[in-house]
Amino acid sequence: MCLSWDGLNLLLFLVLAWCLAPPAHCQGLRYEKFLRQHHDHPRTNAGRDYCGAMMQRRGMTRPCKNINTFIHAPKAQIQAVCGSGGIEYWGMRRSRAQFPVTTCSLKGPPWGRCSYLGHANHRFLVITCDPAGWPMHFDESHIM
């Protein structure tokens, strides 16, 4: 097999690009974790103990997670915060509009049976996005 210089350069470029690009499955895993921990649309009918049920179903009770917010909006609206639906905010993105959410706060110690207090309201989202524009982290410390 004989490659011309143009063909060899193209081959080297493709190999280099493949080696330097972050793996798509890694970005997908971070986004999937974000969705697992924070997305619940439409809001699940989990009975009287929404937070207890949802935190357990989503795997955030071993150990008990101190605080977690579930966003009750379509994925596309949440992702838009990483683009035109959000503004720069302390190195993160803040949504331009408020979203319906339920915030679950731990009532007791972080071991044993987790017990949560739920508070439903509307608030601005503050999230970290990856370079490709996918939500990766919800910032609980910016209550707005």
Side-chain angles (χ1 to χ4, degrees), residues 51-91:
C51 285
M54 291 301 293
M55 296 296 282
Q56 186 169 16
R57 285 181 194 174
R58 302 291 179 93
M60 294 182 277
T61 57
R62 293 291 176 251
C64 305
K65 189 172 179 184
N66 196 38
I67 189 167
N68 190 71
T69 298
F70 291 101
I71 307 163
H72 309 300
K75 294 176 192 176
Q77 288 181 11
I78 299 168
Q79 185 187 358
V81 175
C82 293
S84 62
I87 59 173
E88 278 295 317
Y89 183 80
W90 296 97

